[in-house]
């Protein structure tokens, strides 16, 4: 279950009514209060650059880019997507262009759900292979914030979160996946991102639920949404730090 249960508890304690959604209900380790998610272990950003991950290879892994439309169509339109993907691209043949595939995925999410906020993150550190960590630090993480900034300049609802800074190397269980402390740190970071965009004291009506869908590679995608239309006192949708954006279009 990883960060899902601690995130669920943080949201509840802050006054949200979380409803995790997705087409899957599996849980690794301890049970979660709401098991729905869309976590696909081992998946990559997109198929290109990862020829053995075409859905028909020996491992059967695939790319999020090719499937997000189907998954989003299966759930309520989200207000927030928390996106952390790219770790598994290190196993492919073209990690140097993983940042470009990430940009395409962000653009696809924005095109599919233009009223939805997409929180785009850096990758966690890796200590299993020094070369992998170097690649993350040099070929991927330095470019994520600019991907976000350039889309914001176009008026798209994207935001940046530095997850690499949120989880330290000693919070990894196996050099790749977080341990309990790491998952707690992830939950805190996701929680901060949700609150920055949708402060709990601004959610109305009071019974509006917060729906979350997890679309996962190793620690990949999380989506947050309200399953009933929100009524804002000033008729405006939220942005990080305040309410100064135009109302969301259907």
């Amino acid at each position: 279950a990883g960060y899902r249960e601690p995130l669920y508890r943080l949201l509840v304690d802050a006054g949200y009514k979380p409803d995790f959604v997705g087409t899957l209900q599996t849980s690794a380790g301890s049970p979660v209060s709401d098991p729905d998610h869309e976590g696909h272990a081992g998946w990559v950003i997109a198929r290109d650059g990862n020829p053995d991950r075409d859905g028909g290879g020996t491992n059967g892994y695939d790319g999020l880019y090719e499937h997000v439309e189907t998954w989003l169509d299966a759930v309520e339109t989200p207000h927030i997507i928390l996106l952390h993907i790219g770790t598994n691209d290190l196993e492919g043949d073209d990690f140097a262009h993983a940042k470009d595939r990430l940009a395409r995925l962000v653009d696809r999410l924005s095109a599919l759900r233009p009223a939805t906020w997409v929180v785009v993150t850096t990758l966690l550190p890796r200590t299993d292979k020094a070369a992998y960590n170097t690649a993350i630090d040099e070929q991927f993480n330095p470019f994520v914030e600019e991907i976000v900034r350039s889309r914001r300049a176009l008026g798209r609802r994207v935001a940046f979160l530095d997850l690499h800074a949120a989880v330290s190397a000693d919070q990894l269980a196996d050099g790749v996946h977080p341990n309990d402390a790491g998952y707690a740190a992830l939950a805190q970071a996701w929680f901060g991102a949700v609150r920055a965009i949708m402060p709990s004291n601004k959610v109305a009506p009071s019974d509006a639920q917060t729906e979350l869908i997890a679309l996962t590679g190793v620690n990949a995608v999380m989506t947050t949404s309200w399953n009933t239309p929100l009524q804002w006192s000033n008729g405006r949708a939220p942005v990080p730090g305040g309410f100064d954006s135009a109302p969301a279009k259907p």
Side-chain angles (χ1 to χ4, degrees):
Y3 57 79
R4 285 188 281 134
E5 181 61 17
L7 175 57
Y8 185 94
R9 300 315 320 169
L10 286 168
L11 289 165
V12 168
D13 291 346
Y16 296 93
K17 295 185 178 180
D19 176 22
F20 289 17
V21 297
T23 63
L24 304 177
Q25 291 189 325
T26 55
S27 176
S30 59
V32 294
S33 299
D34 188 332
D36 297 332
H37 71 98
E38 199 67 58
H40 298 268
W43 284 42
V44 295
I45 300 170
R47 291 175 186 168
D48 57 317
N50 300 277
D52 62 331
R53 303 198 174 201
D54 61 359
T58 56
N59 54 25
Y61 298 155
D62 210 334
L64 296 186
Y65 181 91
E66 288 77 21
H67 295 270
V68 289
E69 182 172 8
T70 297
W71 295 333
L72 287 172
D73 284 347
V75 300
E76 297 284 344
T77 296
H79 279 75
I80 307 171
I81 297 173
L82 305 183
L83 176 63
H84 181 214
I85 182 66
T87 298
N88 293 309
D89 287 71
L90 285 160
E91 311 288 343
D93 302 323
D94 189 26
F95 187 72
H97 292 98
K99 63 183 184 300
D100 303 317
R101 295 191 291 277
L102 176 68
R104 285 171 38 218
L105 176 58
V106 172
D107 290 343
R108 182 160 176 77
L109 290 169
S110 294
L112 290 170
R113 296 294 184 272
T116 297
W117 277 94
V118 182
V119 181
V120 189
T121 76
T122 52
L123 295 180
L124 302 185
R126 282 187 66 162
T127 59
D128 57 328
K129 293 184 180 180
Y132 283 175
N133 202 54
T134 298
I136 288 171
D137 289 343
E138 295 181 357
Q139 299 180 358
F140 193 90
N141 282 355
F143 301 94
V144 178
E145 190 168 10
E146 179 54 34
I147 289 172
V148 171
R149 185 181 297 112
S150 62
R151 273 67 184 172
R152 283 293 293 273
L154 297 173
R156 297 175 187 170
R157 296 188 170 194
V158 292
F160 172 74
L161 176 64
D162 188 4
L163 281 187
H164 188 276
V167 178
S168 60
D170 62 0
Q171 292 177 321
L172 300 177
D174 56 3
V176 183
H177 304 86
N179 56 25
D180 288 346
Y183 281 126
L186 273 179
Q188 285 285 352
W190 289 137
F191 175 64
V194 172
R195 291 200 71 178
I197 293 175
M198 193 74 69
S200 59
N201 64 349
K202 299 294 185 181
V203 175
S206 60
D207 62 348
Q209 282 190 320
T210 307
E211 294 182 357
L212 300 97
I213 176 172
L215 315 172
T216 308
V218 170
N219 305 294
V221 184
M222 163 123 357
T223 310
T224 309
S225 71
W226 278 253
N227 73 339
T228 55
L230 295 178
Q231 305 299 319
W232 307 101
S233 60
N234 58 3
R236 304 174 80 82
V239 297
F243 292 86
D244 57 2
S245 71
K249 296 180 179 179

